[in-house]
Amino acid sequence: MDTLLFNENNYDQLIQAADMIKNGEVVGMPTETVYGLAANACNPDAVAKIFKAKGRPSDNPLIVHLSSFSDAAHYTSYIPELAYKIADKFCPGPITMIFPKNDKIPLITSGGLDTVGIRIPSHKTARKLIELSGCPIAAPSANTSGYPSPTEASHVMLDMNGKIPAVIDGGKCSCGVESTVISFDNDNTVRILRPGFVTREDLLTLNCNVIVDNAILNEIAEDEKVSSPGMKYTHYSPDAKVSLVEGSFDDFAEFARNNKNQDTYFLIFDNDSLDINCNFLTYGNNSTEQAHNIFACLRKLDELGAKKVFVRVPDKNGIGLAVYNRLIRAAGFEVIKI
Ligand code: AMP
Ligand code: MG
């Protein structure tokens, strides 16, 4: 089967996509973070198709997308007061909160855990699709497991053509990195399990304690217990071998001079100018731009036939933490300090 490419502005096609979801199928859906693979979160057979299409390990849970935070109580057994404050400020938007689940969410959706991640997307098409489908929507990123997340419909088509019936084209994703994932250590303490557009600094404005989980920046040992199963898997990696290079731009330029090669690319900031003859791509000048561009750049490097990529490290503050977290994982934690 060829995968149909729908347009988000074609209402008949949105209805068709919602009907596919009602019938237990999987549809590629645009959101403000990255494209997702959407299916009925309460239908175990439909959810199994998501895992199969992505090749996703069965213990890596799926985030459940709702159109309003007031629906979260239908699928969870406890929501702390702090979560309502966070929802008031940041939902709909790029944040996922983890709560104890109830029986309406099957174990296949939660990767066998007794908790569920809930997100309220702000993207108009994602919201419309949830409403038209009439069910909570499980949606992981719409890439083949381990490969960079898709931020354009064409990326989803590349990874999923022939594996799912349709993809809705909603243009480029505005954030470009996945949602911030948080859990609650206690009623006044959140733990960031995956950094995103809602930053540590944003959460601190609510006068709660904010812990940044150790696994965000550090490689975890094989036998170590993780708070979020996704932390233990290879992620975001193009076929090219990626390394981060940390140091001043002058040192980076010197490093590039010494390491340039036919199959080697340098991923630098827009304002950087490497005055040597080498292959390079740029990924923006500030954290917001870099988040928006990073996954498309990693995919582009494979398209260009890069075998080795050296990336100039981004700023690690604010939204930059999300960019750094994706890059360090794409690099298998290889950082060259110069
Ligand atoms: P993706 O679906 O590709 O956006 O990845 C979702 C991320 O959220 C994964 O890293 C999961 O491990 C994490 N996640 C989803 N649900 C839970 C949960 N119930 N507990 C902990 N982490 C979760
Ligand atoms: Mg993913």
Side-chain angles (χ1 to χ4, degrees):
M1 126 196 102
D2 270 350
T3 300
L4 300 171
L5 185 60
F6 290 165
N7 187 301
E8 66 171 347
N9 298 316
N10 184 325
Y11 195 68
D12 289 344
Q13 291 184 337
L14 279 192
I15 303 244
Q16 263 190 69
D19 283 343
M20 287 170 177
I21 289 174
K22 284 183 194 164
N23 290 328
E25 290 300 333
V26 176
V27 171
M29 163 181 86
T31 82
E32 72 276 23
T33 57
V34 301
Y35 275 74
L37 281 186
N40 180 350
C42 294
N43 177 341
D45 294 336
V47 170
K49 290 179 189 170
I50 295 181
F51 279 95
K52 182 158 183 250
K54 276 183 69 78
R56 184 173 175 106
S58 62
D59 67 348
N60 197 358
L62 307 183
I63 291 169
V64 173
H65 296 69
L66 306 173
S67 59
S68 160
F69 191 72
S70 57
D71 293 340
H74 296 315
Y75 305 101
T76 56
S77 60
Y78 176 67
I79 298 179
E81 265 315 303
L82 177 58
Y84 289 99
K85 285 197 206 154
I86 293 172
D88 273 350
K89 190 141 186 196
F90 301 113
C91 296
I95 185 160
T96 298
M97 292 187 256
I98 293 172
F99 305 114
K101 74 172 194 70
N102 69 19
D103 289 346
K104 290 205 184 82
I105 300 295
L107 280 170
I108 185 171
T109 303
S110 68
L113 298 175
D114 53 11
T115 53
V116 61
I118 301 282
R119 183 163 107 77
I120 321 300
S122 62
H123 194 287
K124 68 174 193 316
T125 304
R127 300 176 63 74
K128 193 80 215 157
L129 192 64
I130 298 169
E131 280 164 26
L132 290 171
S133 307
C135 59
I137 288 199
S141 52
N143 51 292
T144 301
S145 215
Y147 204 62
S149 298
T151 53
E152 299 174 26
S154 62
H155 299 160
V156 186
M157 286 302 259
L158 262 178
D159 285 19
M160 294 296 150
N161 195 13
K163 297 182 176 171
I164 59 173
V167 175
I168 304 169
D169 190 345
K172 289 187 185 177
C173 301
S174 58
C175 299
V177 290
E178 305 85 342
S179 59
T180 305
V181 177
I182 59 169
S183 61
F184 294 84
D185 276 19
N186 59 49
D187 283 359
N188 198 42
T189 306
V190 300
R191 175 178 292 270
I192 301 181
L193 302 177
R194 179 174 72 185
F197 255 57
V198 177
T199 62
R200 172 176 173 272
E201 295 76 9
D202 290 334
L203 292 163
L204 282 171
T205 61
L206 294 170
N207 292 323
C208 56
N209 306 311
V210 181
I211 296 168
V212 176
D213 198 277
N214 194 34
I216 282 179
L217 292 181
N218 300 296
E219 192 166 18
I220 44 169
E222 229 165 72
D223 53 355
E224 207 175 321
K225 190 176 173 313
V226 291
S227 320
S228 181
M231 290 168 168
K232 52 182 195 201
Y233 294 111
T234 309
H235 257 121
Y236 321 122
S237 299
D239 296 333
K241 168 119 186 46
V242 176
S243 303
L244 299 195
V245 180
E246 188 160 7
S248 70
F249 181 67
D250 285 346
D251 290 339
F252 187 94
E254 180 64 21
F255 178 89
R257 207 164 283 123
N258 296 329
N259 288 278
K260 74 189 176 90
N261 191 298
Q262 199 187 344
D263 301 329
T264 297
Y265 277 72
F266 298 92
L267 189 53
I268 55 179
F269 303 170
D270 289 5
N271 281 345
D272 293 342
S273 67
L274 279 176
D275 55 358
I276 50 169
N277 184 17
C278 64
N279 305 313
F280 70 92
L281 275 187
T282 67
Y283 73 114
N285 270 325
N286 56 52
S287 300
T288 309
E289 289 174 12
Q290 290 172 347
H292 184 72
N293 296 331
I294 189 59
F295 285 133
C297 280
L298 292 177
R299 283 175 174 262
K300 180 85 187 164
L301 287 159
D302 277 350
E303 226 179 283
L304 292 167
K307 296 276 176 289
K308 177 82 209 149
V309 181
F310 293 108
V311 184
R312 187 165 171 224
V313 285
D315 181 17
K316 296 173 204 164
N317 295 305
I319 291 169
L321 185 65
V323 180
Y324 185 77
N325 166 266
R326 304 316 189 268
L327 277 171
I328 200 170
R329 283 167 180 275
F333 291 89
E334 185 166 316
V335 182
I336 301 166
K337 299 206 164 138
I338 50 172

